[in-house]
Amino acid sequence: MCLPTRWKLIEKGLPVALVADTGHVVWGELSRDAAGQYLADPGNGRPANLHPTASNRPSLALAGRAKFRQELHGRQLVWLLVAFVLAAPALLGAVAGFPGSLLCLGTAVAVAASGLGVTRRAGELPGAIGWTVRESRDPAIR
């Protein structure tokens, strides 16, 4: 189990990494009460039974989740491309006055549609898009 070295300075839950012998890592959170109970010697308050990480036990990060989802972000990229095409003439000064204002308005609508489309589409897709958080406690830890 890996904990921050200056854990007494953290006010809320402490980040904890549990590293298996295979190098896989599970991240969690430890309450301050548990940290005081298990990490400090009750007699003098100094750290108890702490060992530095062994250099012969490297840890491996878990594989990350894909950041780009074609079915979700494809439409957003199309809308942003439309916004760029509409904004380019006005930004380059090729169109001025009322037509330029209409192009800028179209750009704003396309940018808003890209964000709203992704938000709406995310609710329609099966499966979780964000991180999965499981709240659980080990009964052995009180």
Side-chain angles (χ1 to χ4, degrees), residues 2-103:
C2 301
L3 292 156
T5 55
R6 300 173 71 180
W7 61 272
K8 289 185 179 180
L9 299 177
I10 300 173
E11 294 179 8
K12 294 185 179 180
L14 302 174
V16 178
L18 184 63
V19 183
D21 288 338
T22 60
H24 290 91
V25 179
V26 177
W27 289 95
E29 185 176 298
L30 186 65
S31 69
R32 288 212 34 93
D33 295 335
Q37 180 181 357
Y38 295 112
L39 299 177
D41 186 0
N44 57 16
R46 291 186 177 175
N49 196 20
L50 299 180
H51 303 285
T53 303
S55 60
N56 62 348
R57 298 238 182 223
S59 62
L60 302 172
L62 293 173
R65 298 183 71 175
K67 304 281 190 265
F68 178 80
R69 291 181 67 176
Q70 174 65 34
E71 67 274 10
L72 179 63
H73 297 105
R75 290 183 184 179
Q76 182 180 28
L77 291 177
V78 170
W79 276 110
L80 292 176
L81 180 63
V82 168
F84 176 75
V85 168
L86 289 173
L91 292 175
L92 294 174
V95 179
F98 185 71
S101 298
L102 287 178
L103 288 176

